[in-house]
């Protein structure tokens, strides 16, 4: 049961050595600042202060869609001409804004200074600013900096930058014994489900990064093993490795198969008895399979192209190929990290076209030539592609919706089938 | 440096995008890093445009900064030109590119494209979206407009005008253009060009052929209209035709400019004036309203609110600093302090302290209103997807006045409904906790028990606004209160308690009840 279900089709698997189309041009993606939208919901006593321009503020507000919170736990210190002309010292100004903010928001225990394109270009040193501000406010609020700038980070890489800035501050683990660290933001409900499964297998010592509260930073040490729950965390993994943490090789917990393989990696590392593992995973695995089935009937044989967005593209492609039996045309990803993606690429058919980076117009030309049944793309492109007759799925929904783990496998499949179901319903 | 949580306007290059996207055959090459493409979704998702904005982003990265970002710009511009074949190219920088000073204008000129290239200088650390739209439109017109063609039209030809200001992502621009075009047609005026919305480069070139200009949205078109007046002697309209009075003024303004008589029947589909005079609207009188938005919509809406709805304007403000003067003047008229700010929290504070009964604002105020449970209607950009309705819903002209009446009344409880609620408030089948009777009596909610405590001894549910009163009711006073007609009893109780508290009385007697009545009926 834990074996990968052999696909009835005669595809030759493994595209780890496939040539990759590497392109440079217009990128239709968000920058790393966008990660603030989910990170601030996860770490509930943290504030994210972008040091940037009006564009940065407008971006986060537009990407977040609605303003649910009057005083959100993120904001922008907007650089103005006085700062640029040197009339005001940008560092003094930043200190003033931070003091104002922390006076107003006494509940904030962790402040992220988030670098942006303008702050990078004017070389405003936010790590020095963080040190300075820690001296002033550190007793109550810890200050950490990272960059979410578009010149350095693409969309989900913002989370990578945030977590790798957080990693050096994780306390040293003193307790003996193996310890598991699950890395990458997951919805609380997903964390809870995975926790239950791990405990049933007898794995008791595990933590999640990022934590729900900044006072509960997980400890790491030489006996810590880490398992990435999100595929875009290469720098964080590297940082953790430098702390002596060992990274477990696994695909990502998407779909029944992905989740099983991901859990298996933990089980093997913790010497969990295989029989116990199967006992624990049997029922949820079957449930997941069952919930996927209905959608597979609708999606089997349909072709799909992923435009680059969140780096979730390759694991998602593996899921739609393996469990929904869709036909992969092109999988675009902003960055291809072969080591981290290895266990995923092994399970993709060799005919898959992989592309890295983006030259938007050329990629859209390929869509025109390929005529995929479904295009997974960003919000800026979805309606124009629909108007041209394509069927699309907003990629951002795949980032904001809980899709990991067994109980979400059906929801994940539904995200792909819903655009078709809707088109079938509409007759006008 | 200024701390900002939410922003009313985007950066100025988004204003330029609104102009470029409105037009049919220009392309905007924007020197910008990855991430700035977020602006596309404003158009494709919020306005639901079925096409991509005509914008190419150079997408430079950190590793390009040491190298040749200028070359990157030139390549992006020339391949965009080859691919999209625009009739004119706009070039400019977003905030980050402004810092690296590559001079997109100069670089594009060096490409020797076969169409006009219009460089845009939009200082991102100083200016904002509306200014960016205005400046872009102005630069386009300045570069492209030609002197009027030799007048070959017969002397009997109708006077003509241009309609200036509507853009992509504008609040109801599509419908305002239709309404005002129809009105102008009815007045006997031809519309030469509407710009920038749906205009081509060729249309911009023939702007001077019109006799005058209609400035629909001053924030975007004033600068251009003034230039056209200086350059080609075209006068322009000053009145924004929002509301019946303003529309009539606008008609007189056009009639004066064209020396045309005002035909009959222009107002045949106008209903808002009668609806407002209908007795059911009496309850609208003196409703306390707070207005916030762009300057021209706020000033126009305040006038409609006060003169045509009978509301009381208790607060007025704008985020457009460039047009603050107009709002200050309007504020004087309503004897209120204007709020000129783009700090969302300041607006929320002001609303909290004013306790308005209706908020007329942008989508930001819609969120404030939702949090504070105050009715709200949207009158100005920035707006969200629900403010791009499928149906025809202009803000301007006589149909616009109909729309305003409906959409402002809608969030309020209907007048008759309000009276009935007051009258039957204590009825056992009709109190705050009761479910509507058509849903079946089993749905009756819990507080029923307290509401049934005997007719003379009814405990009104405490209104949420009342402060915890230290005064207690004497038995006689309570009994006396029971004699007061039940549909005003709640108000009498509240007023009496407030009065007692102000007077520092610990017990409310029958005397207090009537003292309070006298006090409040002054």
């Amino acid at each position: 049961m834990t074996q990968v279900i052999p696909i009835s089709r005669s595809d030759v698997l493994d595209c780890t050595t496939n040539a990759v189309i590497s392109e440079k041009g217009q990128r239709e993606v968000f920058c790393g600042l966008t990660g603030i939208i989910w990170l601030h919901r996860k770490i509930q006593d943290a504030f994210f202060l972008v040091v940037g321009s009006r564009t940065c503020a407008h971006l986060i507000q537009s990407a977040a869609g609605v303003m649910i919170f009057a005083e959100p736990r993120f904001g922008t210190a907007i650089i103005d001409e006085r700062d640029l002309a040197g009339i005001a010292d940008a560092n003094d100004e930043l200190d003033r804004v931070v003091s104002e903010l922390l006076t107003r928001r006494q509940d904030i225990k962790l402040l992220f200074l988030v670098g942006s394109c303008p702050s990078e270009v004017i070389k405003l040193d936010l790590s020095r600013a963080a040190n300075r501000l820690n001296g002033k406010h550190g007793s109550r609020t810890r200050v950490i900096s990272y960059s979410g700038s578009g010149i350095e980070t693409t969309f989900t890489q913002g989370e990578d930058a945030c977590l790798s800035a957080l990693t050096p501050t994780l306390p040293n683990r003193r307790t003996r014994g193996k310890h598991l660290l699950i890395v990458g933001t997951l919805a609380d409900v997903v964390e809870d489900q995975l926790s239950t499964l791990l405990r049933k297998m007898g794995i008791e010592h595990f933590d999640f990064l990022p934590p729900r509260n900044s006072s509960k930073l997980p400890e790491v040490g030489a006996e810590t093993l880490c398992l990435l729950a999100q595929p875009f965390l290469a720098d964080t993994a590297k940082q953790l490795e430098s702390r002596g943490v060992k990274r477990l090789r696994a695909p990502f917990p998407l779909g029944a198969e992905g989740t099983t393989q991901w859990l298996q990696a933990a089980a093997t590392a913790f010497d969990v008895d295989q029989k116990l593992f199967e006992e624990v995973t049997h029922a949820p695995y079957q449930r997941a399979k069952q919930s996927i089935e209905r959608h597979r009937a609708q999606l089997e044989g349909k072709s799909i192209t992923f435009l680059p967005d969140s780096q979730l593209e390759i694991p998602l492609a593996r899921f739609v190929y393996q469990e929904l039996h869709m036909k992969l045309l092109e999988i675009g990803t902003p960055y291809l990290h072969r080591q981290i993606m290895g266990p995923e690429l092994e399970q993709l058919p060799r005919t898959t076209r992989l592309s890295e980076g983006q030259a938007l117009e050329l990629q859209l030309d390929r869509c025109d030539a390929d005529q995929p049944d479904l295009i997974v793309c960003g919000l800026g492109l979805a309606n124009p592609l629909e108007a041209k007759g394509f069927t699309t799925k907003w990629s951002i929904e795949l980032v904001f919706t809980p899709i990991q783990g067994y109980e979400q496998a059906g929801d994940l499949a539904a995200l792909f089938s819903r655009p078709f179901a809707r088109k079938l319903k509409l007759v006008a | 440096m200024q701390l900002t949580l939410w922003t009313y306007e985007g950066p100025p290059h988004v204003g330029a995008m609104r102009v470029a996207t409105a037009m049919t055959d220009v392309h905007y090459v924007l020197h910008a890093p990855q991430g700035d493409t977020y602006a596309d979704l404003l158009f494709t998702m919020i306005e639901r445009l079925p096409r991509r904005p005509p914008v190419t982003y150079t997408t430079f990265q950190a590793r390009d900064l040491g190298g040749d970002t200028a070359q990157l710009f030139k390549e992006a511009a020339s391949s965009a030109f080859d691919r999209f074949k625009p009739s004119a190219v706009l070039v400019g920088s977003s905030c980050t590119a402004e810092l690296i000073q590559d001079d997109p204008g100069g670089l594009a000129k060096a490409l020797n494209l076969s169409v006009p290239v219009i460089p845009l200088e939009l200082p991102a650390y100083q200016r904002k979206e509306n200014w960016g739209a205005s400046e872009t439109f102005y630069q386009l017109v300045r570069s492209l407009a030609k002197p009027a063609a030799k007048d070959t039209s017969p002397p009997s030809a109708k006077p003509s005008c241009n309609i200036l200001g509507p853009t992509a992502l504008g609040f109801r621009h599509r419908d305002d253009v239709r309404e005002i075009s129809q009105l102008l047609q009815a007045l006997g005026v031809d519309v030469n060009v509407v710009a920038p919305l749906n205009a081509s480069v060729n249309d911009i070139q023939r702007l001077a052929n019109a006799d005058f200009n209609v400035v629909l949205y001053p924030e975007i078109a004033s600068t251009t209209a003034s230039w056209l007046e200086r350059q080609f002697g075209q006068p322009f309209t000053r009145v924004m035709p929002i509301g019946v009075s303003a529309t009539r003024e606008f008609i007189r303004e056009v009639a004066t400019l064209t020396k045309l008589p005002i035909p009959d029947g222009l107002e045949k589909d106008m209903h808002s004036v009668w609806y407002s005079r209908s007795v059911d609207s009496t309850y609208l009188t003196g409703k306390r309203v707070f207005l916030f938005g762009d300057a021209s919509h706020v000033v126009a809406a305040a006038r409609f609110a006060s003169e045509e709805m009978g509301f009381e304007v208790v607060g007025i403000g704008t985020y457009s600093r460039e047009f603050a003067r107009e709002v200050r003047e309007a504020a004087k008229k309503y004897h209120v302090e204007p709020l000129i700010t783009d700090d969302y929290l300041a607006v929320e504070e002001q609303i909290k302290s004013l306790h308005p009964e209706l908020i007329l604002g942008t989508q930001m105020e819609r969120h404030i209103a939702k949090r504070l449970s105050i009715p709200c209607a949207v009158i100005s950009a920035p707006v969200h997807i629900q403010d791009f309705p499928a149906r025809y819903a202009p803000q301007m002209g006589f149909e616009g006045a109909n729309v305003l009446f409906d959409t402002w009344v809608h969030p309020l409880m209907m007048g008759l409904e309000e009276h009935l609620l007051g009258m039957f408030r204590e009825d056992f089948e009709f109190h705050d906790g009761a479910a509507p009777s058509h849903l079946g009596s089993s749905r009756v909610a819990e507080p029923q028990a307290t509401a049934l405590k005997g007719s003379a001894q009814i405990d009104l549910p405490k209104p949420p606004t009342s402060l915890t009163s230290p005064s207690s009711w004497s038995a006689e006073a309570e009994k006396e209160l029971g004699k007061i007609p039940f549909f005003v009893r709640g108000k009498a109780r509240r007023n009496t308690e407030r009065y007692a508290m102000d007077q520092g009385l610990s017990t409310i007697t029958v005397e207090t009840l009537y003292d309070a009545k006298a006090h409040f009926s002054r």
Side-chain angles (χ1 to χ4, degrees), chain A residues 157-368:
Chain A
Q157 279 185 308
E159 175 168 340
D160 194 18
C162 173
L163 297 188
S164 49
L166 204 53
T167 300
T169 73
L170 301 182
N172 282 318
R173 185 171 170 80
R174 298 217 162 77
T175 331
R176 296 292 308 269
K178 278 186 189 170
H179 164 244
L180 181 66
L181 184 67
I182 296 159
V183 187
T185 301
L186 293 170
D188 289 359
V189 59
V190 176
E191 283 186 0
D192 293 345
Q193 289 165 9
L194 295 174
S195 302
T196 308
L197 291 170
L198 291 170
R199 284 200 193 95
K200 281 189 185 165
M201 286 177 211
I203 302 176
E204 292 290 343
H205 303 288
F206 60 86
D207 287 295
F208 292 90
L209 180 70
R212 296 181 195 185
N213 193 297
S214 73
S215 64
K216 301 209 172 68
L217 289 178
E219 298 176 347
V220 293
E223 284 185 286
T224 302
L225 304 168
C226 85
L227 197 49
L228 298 185
Q230 297 285 6
F232 39 76
L233 298 170
D235 284 352
T236 308
K238 213 158 66 186
Q239 279 283 341
L240 284 166
E241 278 161 0
S242 77
R243 296 277 310 261
V245 173
K246 183 171 167 278
R247 182 173 68 82
L248 300 176
R249 192 175 187 276
F252 293 91
L254 298 172
E257 304 303 337
T259 304
T260 305
Q261 293 177 31
W262 186 85
L263 286 168
Q264 180 72 66
T268 307
F270 280 75
D271 306 314
V272 174
D273 176 62
Q274 194 58 24
K275 219 174 133 239
L276 174 63
F277 178 81
E278 289 182 14
E279 251 173 54
V280 170
T281 53
H282 181 75
Y285 176 86
Q286 291 302 337
R287 259 201 312 273
K289 276 296 186 196
Q290 216 177 346
S291 62
I292 290 168
E293 213 158 312
R294 186 163 61 87
H295 303 286
R296 189 177 59 220
Q298 276 186 299
L299 294 169
E300 187 148 18
K302 290 222 164 30
S303 62
I304 185 168
T305 280
F306 289 84
L307 300 192
D309 193 58
S310 61
Q311 296 189 49
L312 276 161
E313 296 79 16
I314 289 172
L316 287 169
R318 189 256 309 146
F319 167 72
V320 302
Y321 170 73
Q322 203 168 48
E323 302 194 42
L324 299 172
H325 298 184
M326 294 182 79
K327 187 178 159 210
L328 304 178
L329 293 171
E330 176 167 336
I331 310 172
T333 180
Y335 293 102
L336 177 59
H337 196 289
R338 286 187 185 269
Q339 240 182 328
I340 286 175
M341 285 301 167
E344 296 285 353
L345 293 171
E346 284 163 13
Q347 304 183 56
L348 292 180
R350 199 158 287 174
T351 49
T352 311
R353 187 198 306 147
L354 297 174
S355 64
E356 185 185 19
Q358 191 174 30
L360 177 64
E361 306 300 343
L362 300 180
Q363 197 162 35
L364 292 178
D365 286 348
R366 290 200 294 276
C367 281
D368 278 336

Side-chain angles (χ1 to χ4, degrees), chain B residues 142-194:
Chain B
R142 242 189 99 110
S143 321
L144 298 174
K146 294 174 178 168
K150 267 260 187 288
D151 199 2
T152 51
S153 52
S156 63
K158 289 197 250 174
S160 71
C161 71
N162 303 309
I163 296 181
L164 304 181
T167 63
L169 212 63
F171 177 56
R172 305 291 162 85
H173 288 194
R174 174 198 71 185
D175 297 345
D176 285 346
V177 166
R178 180 172 142 195
E179 179 70 15
I180 296 307
S181 301
Q182 282 167 355
L183 180 62
L184 289 163
Q185 290 295 344
L187 285 168
V189 179
D190 274 340
V191 176
N192 176 48
V193 166
V194 177

Side-chain angles (χ1 to χ4, degrees), chain A residues 122-135:
Chain A
I122 64 170
K123 301 203 172 4
L124 188 57
D125 190 338
L126 293 185
S127 67
R128 270 182 52 197
N131 279 336
R132 187 175 66 235
L133 289 163
N134 255 326

